[in-house]
Amino acid sequence: MASIPTLSSSSSSILSMSPSNASNPNNNNNHLPFTSIFGTRITIQRLSPILPFPSVSCRTRATTATVSFSLPTTKREAATIDKTPQWSARSIKSFALGELEARKLKYPNTGTEALLMGILVEGTSKAAKFLRANGISLFKVREETVELLGKSDMYFFSPEHPPLTEPAQKALDWAVDEKLKSGEGGEITVTHILLGIWSQEGSAGRQILSTLGFNDEKAKELAKEINEDVDLSFKKQA
């Protein structure tokens, strides 16, 4: 019977999946290097059942996938700080879903409007609940996005990771800056991202929020709960 794969980590922070009972010291797990700021390559090796005949060798097949552990930021100086703030699980998921929304609309870039849609698609954060409570839904944001930016050519296909627009990048950088300025522990939450979107005057995301009734007063109200989306317990995230 094939062994159960276990998750292991090498000294170079490259994740891999390897059989727990692999006794061959020369076994090559085909680790793939870190490829981009969007994720880390992992390798999953699945063993076929071991046959009772010693002359038949067991073949392995590798499957690769991309896992996102952080969000792109130009704040390189933050990497030198011992206690670099980490993005919350919801933040990472919201960003990934924002990329997906940009691809669904066949846009070449991930803009602030896509980040906003990602927050609403994820839906469980304080920021998403606050938006819905104020009448800002995914359907309305998507409708305003198409109204503002138009539809893409039906024959255009977005890249796997549509690059960030300048306002979207600045929104994420704002989130990092605010967390560092606060001097508080914990993670960078979805609320940081939403307020980062609002901080970018003239951006598509801010224009859509304004059209749907979001304003500075509501931003201040939301800022009071900026550090509350930090619980990584899946039992408590529902």
Side-chain angles (χ1 to χ4, degrees), residues 115-133:
L115 296 181
L116 180 57
M117 286 187 282
I119 291 172
L120 288 164
V121 173
E122 192 280 329
T124 66
S125 65
K126 292 281 186 181
K129 293 175 181 178
F130 183 87
L131 289 174
R132 290 198 301 271

Side-chain angles (χ1 to χ4, degrees), residues 72 110-113 115 164-173 200 203:
T110 300
T112 51
E113 74 289 339
L115 296 181
L164 290 169
T165 61
E166 184 177 351
Q169 183 64 75
K170 287 182 178 180
L172 296 183
D173 292 342
Q200 301 307 303
S203 68

Side-chain angles (χ1 to χ4, degrees), residues 11-234:
S11 60
S12 61
S13 298
I14 299 175
L15 297 181
S16 65
M17 293 289 291
S18 60
S20 59
N21 66 342
S23 58
N24 183 0
N26 297 321
N27 182 34
N28 185 0
N29 288 328
N30 295 322
H31 294 163
L32 298 179
F34 183 84
T35 56
S36 73
I37 55 180
F38 293 102
T40 301
R41 288 285 185 180
I42 65 173
T43 299
I44 303 173
Q45 291 193 342
R46 293 177 291 183
L47 293 179
S48 59
I50 300 177
L51 300 178
F53 305 101
S55 60
V56 179
S57 61
C58 180
R59 296 182 179 180
T60 63
R61 181 174 61 181
T63 303
T64 60
T66 301
V67 180
S68 178
F69 295 104
S70 187
L71 304 190
T73 177
T74 59
K75 299 298 177 182
R76 300 298 181 188
E77 64 271 17
T80 63
I81 301 175
D82 292 336
K83 295 182 179 180
T84 304
Q86 302 296 314
W87 297 91
S88 70
R90 288 188 179 95
S91 294
I92 295 172
K93 186 176 180 181
S94 295
F95 176 79
L97 291 170
E99 281 190 332
L100 182 59
E101 287 301 306
R103 293 181 66 190
K104 284 181 180 179
L105 292 173
K106 296 188 176 183
Y107 287 165
N109 298 93
T110 300
T112 51
E113 74 289 339
L115 296 181
L116 180 57
M117 286 187 282
I119 291 172
L120 288 164
V121 173
E122 192 280 329
T124 66
S125 65
K126 292 281 186 181
K129 293 175 181 178
F130 183 87
L131 289 174
R132 290 198 301 271
N134 285 274
I136 303 176
S137 66
L138 174 61
F139 177 80
K140 291 180 180 179
V141 170
R142 187 179 287 139
E143 190 176 55
E144 289 295 330
T145 296
V146 174
E147 180 71 22
L148 180 65
L149 302 179
K151 294 183 178 180
S152 182
D153 191 299
M154 65 179 296
Y155 297 108
F156 176 80
F157 292 95
S158 300
E160 180 181 0
H161 296 292
L164 290 169
T165 61
E166 184 177 351
Q169 183 64 75
K170 287 182 178 180
L172 296 183
D173 292 342
W174 185 94
V176 175
D177 278 340
E178 285 301 304
K179 188 60 182 179
L180 292 173
K181 287 177 184 177
S182 71
E184 300 176 356
E187 299 168 316
I188 306 172
T189 67
V190 182
T191 301
H192 285 96
I193 298 178
L194 178 56
L195 293 178
I197 294 170
W198 181 250
S199 72
Q200 301 307 303
E201 294 186 11
S203 68
R206 173 156 180 153
Q207 290 181 53
I208 292 168
L209 284 170
S210 296
T211 300
L212 297 176
F214 196 86
N215 53 37
D216 288 333
E217 291 301 317
K218 291 180 179 178
K220 291 178 182 178
E221 182 182 348
L222 181 61
K224 297 176 182 178
E225 302 178 346
I226 198 167
N227 292 313
E228 293 191 13
D229 272 346
V230 297
D231 194 344
L232 294 182
S233 171
F234 290 104

